[in-house]
Amino acid sequence: MSLKEHFHRLKKKMRPKTYVDKIVDKAIHLNADSKKVIVFPETDVIILKACSAILKRKIAIPLIIGKKAELDVTLDRLRIRNLSDPYILDHLDEKNKAQFESFVTEFYDMRKKDGKEISLDEARVLISKPQYYGAMLVYKSVADGMISGINSETKPYNPAFQIIKTKSGVPKASGMMIMEREHELLFFADIALNINPTAEELAAIALTSATTVSELGTEPKIAMLSFSTRDSAKHEMVEKVKLATKLAKEKSPELIIDGEIQLDAAIVPEVALKKCKDSVLHGKANVLIFPDLNSGNIGYKLVQRLGGFKALGPIMQGLNKPINDLSRGASVEDVVELAAITVLQMQQ
Ligand SMILES: CC(C)(COP(=O)(O)OP(=O)(O)OC[C@H]1O[C@@H](n2cnc3c(N)ncnc32)[C@H](O)[C@@H]1OP(=O)(O)O)[C@@H](O)C(=O)NCCC(=O)NCCS
């Protein structure tokens, strides 16, 4: 280890643990109890370096889908020594033909059951894509989760929606971002998937977010955001948020949730006193549910870029098993942290 590396590690050890550090610790603990396998259907340098760190730090067991001979050359060039045979799966290798063909048939049957007419050849083309094959490995419980999407061609959405599917009672998967700045912690949803959710879908996003936040070890206090608080404005967009709040409350009466509510009334106690004295949130919401993808996606980027918060995610939520999407600009540390979150999602 170089002197620079040594001091970097020492500095990291000495600073107080962040929320993300604690997530990593929990993942290590869970992985020690029973090994958690995460499929990586991409072989970019960032992914390989992250997989090496994930294995070294005992966060999970990576399973990389790729051509072994090519990967061996790259790993050698990168001087990565801990990702040998058992961590690499060449899904198109002749030796793997039986499993490949069984996945093709199973996927074909699955699509047929879902009312989608595809041919066996079309199923074969899809299953030959590593992100589809990876989702089948998760579906068949060979692996426990998957992380993909550092490239636009390997985004995991369709394999996740078509193979893993949403949990019963969850109409749509959604995306959550963890926002952290020193001791401040907020969860934003949906910032990734649903462009203009209906009131029913918005209610489901709130309920699914409550589950994710609880799984990560925090009590959710949910604000259903709008440009109106307690009927201060009248518009169909406000009505949608009001209805979504009512539906979420009906489904989960024990939840701490309020809406429709403006952002300031949701997170600033003094403003809450003025605008909604009776709010169960008391201006201390930690889960912000945005009315549509415009506000959600723009909102988290404002907080990240102008507010100096670290954005971690997006976490794909509402699926039967954890499949997560990587931002195309993800760093090695981003991948490692998302792997830890993926392990925590396996507790369901
Ligand atoms: C997520 C997204 C890519 C899906 O688009 P799509 O592939 O055109 O979706 P389709 O409507 O054709 O649906 C494809 C399948 O996925 C399913 N699906 C789509 N969105 C889903 C969701 N949020 N949750 C679960 N399933 C979903 C559909 O039911 C459909 O299933 P089927 O093939 O069994 O019928 C699309 O909603 C989108 O572009 N969202 C915005 C993403 C974005 O730009 N985010 C901002 C940057 S992160």
Side-chain angles (χ1 to χ4, degrees):
M1 193 191 312
S2 72
L3 204 61
K4 200 174 153 195
E5 254 180 317
H6 176 73
F7 280 120
H8 176 72
R9 283 198 187 177
L10 204 66
K11 219 168 125 189
K12 208 171 165 186
K13 256 190 186 165
M14 283 168 70
R15 67 160 166 72
K17 284 203 169 178
T18 62
Y19 181 71
V20 173
D21 292 334
K22 288 177 195 158
I23 287 180
V24 171
D25 286 350
K26 275 189 206 160
I28 293 170
H29 182 73
L30 286 171
N31 185 47
D33 277 354
S34 73
K35 294 293 168 221
K36 311 290 182 200
V37 179
I38 302 180
V39 182
F40 289 86
E42 293 172 309
T43 55
D44 301 57
V45 168
I46 285 183
I47 300 292
L48 299 180
K49 285 185 175 172
C51 284
S52 173
I54 289 163
L55 189 61
K56 199 167 157 192
R57 292 169 68 181
K58 300 191 165 87
I59 293 169
I61 309 285
L63 180 59
I64 304 161
I65 301 184
K67 293 214 172 311
K68 178 143 186 354
E70 287 171 19
L71 269 169
D72 279 345
V73 174
T74 317
L75 290 169
D76 195 49
R77 180 169 53 80
L78 296 171
R79 299 200 178 140
I80 294 176
R81 308 274 178 236
N82 62 343
L83 290 178
S84 53
D85 233 358
Y87 307 111
I88 298 171
L89 172 66
D90 185 348
H91 69 306
L92 300 177
D93 190 280
E94 208 38 46
K95 277 189 259 168
N96 196 49
K97 203 170 164 61
Q99 189 181 58
F100 182 89
E101 284 306 322
S102 81
F103 282 4
V104 170
T105 321
E106 195 153 353
F107 177 66
Y108 168 81
D109 289 341
M110 199 186 280
R111 295 302 283 155
K112 215 165 152 188
K113 228 167 135 189
D114 287 342
K116 309 286 165 188
E117 277 304 326
I118 59 167
S119 66
L120 262 175
D121 277 346
E122 283 166 326
R124 195 167 284 112
V125 169
L126 287 174
I127 292 297
S128 65
K129 295 180 188 222
Q131 69 275 29
Y132 270 85
Y133 195 89
M136 282 304 292
L137 289 171
V138 177
Y139 175 73
K140 299 297 289 176
S141 300
V142 176
D144 305 290
M146 179 170 89
I147 294 179
S148 179
I150 204 157
N151 300 297
S152 25
E153 316 80 65
T154 29
K155 286 285 165 196
Y157 300 132
N158 282 335
F161 301 158
Q162 295 171 357
I163 297 171
I164 304 299
K165 301 193 169 97
T166 54
K167 285 184 194 159
S168 105
V170 178
K172 290 279 177 75
S174 54
M176 168 180 281
M177 199 62 94
I178 301 176
M179 308 297 297
E180 184 181 25
R181 186 178 63 185
E182 293 179 8
H183 60 280
E184 292 169 283
L185 185 64
L186 294 166
F187 302 87
F188 289 13
D190 177 4
I191 51 74
L193 292 176
N194 298 280
I195 294 171
N196 191 12
T198 61
E200 289 73 17
E201 287 166 352
L202 199 56
I205 291 170
L207 296 173
T208 314
S209 301
T211 307
T212 306
V213 172
S214 303
E215 271 165 14
L216 295 173
T218 300
E219 186 188 26
K221 294 178 186 165
I222 306 169
M224 303 294 278
L225 295 180
S226 168
F227 58 85
S228 164
T229 306
R230 303 279 189 276
D231 285 326
S232 62
K234 298 224 175 300
H235 192 272
E236 63 189 55
M237 288 159 92
V238 175
E239 288 309 312
K240 177 175 97 169
V241 178
K242 280 174 71 175
L243 178 57
T245 311
K246 182 172 167 275
L247 295 172
K249 275 185 189 166
E250 278 168 9
K251 280 214 166 142
S252 251
E254 75 290 351
L255 269 191
I256 303 174
I257 182 169
D258 197 358
E260 73 340 73
I261 191 166
Q262 286 163 286
L263 178 84
D264 52 359
I267 62 166
V268 183
E270 301 78 52
V271 180
L273 273 178
K274 244 178 157 175
K275 292 190 176 178
C276 48
K277 227 182 195 160
D278 59 335
S279 174
V280 286
L281 299 171
H282 306 294
K284 289 186 177 167
N286 58 2
V287 182
L288 304 183
I289 304 299
F290 291 84
D292 61 24
L293 195 54
N294 266 323
S295 51
N297 192 266
I298 296 168
Y300 101 75
K301 287 185 178 168
L302 279 173
V303 172
Q304 177 189 27
R305 301 289 171 184
L306 300 181
F309 275 69
K310 179 181 165 75
L312 177 64
I315 306 170
M316 216 175 342
Q317 47 179 14
L319 297 168
N320 281 313
K321 293 191 177 181
I323 305 272
N324 278 312
D325 173 38
L326 279 171
S327 147
R328 279 170 298 160
S331 66
V332 172
E333 199 51 28
D334 291 337
V335 183
V336 172
E337 289 167 353
L338 194 57
I341 290 175
T342 307
V343 170
L344 261 61
Q345 287 180 293
M346 291 169 192
Q347 295 173 93
Q348 309 147 18

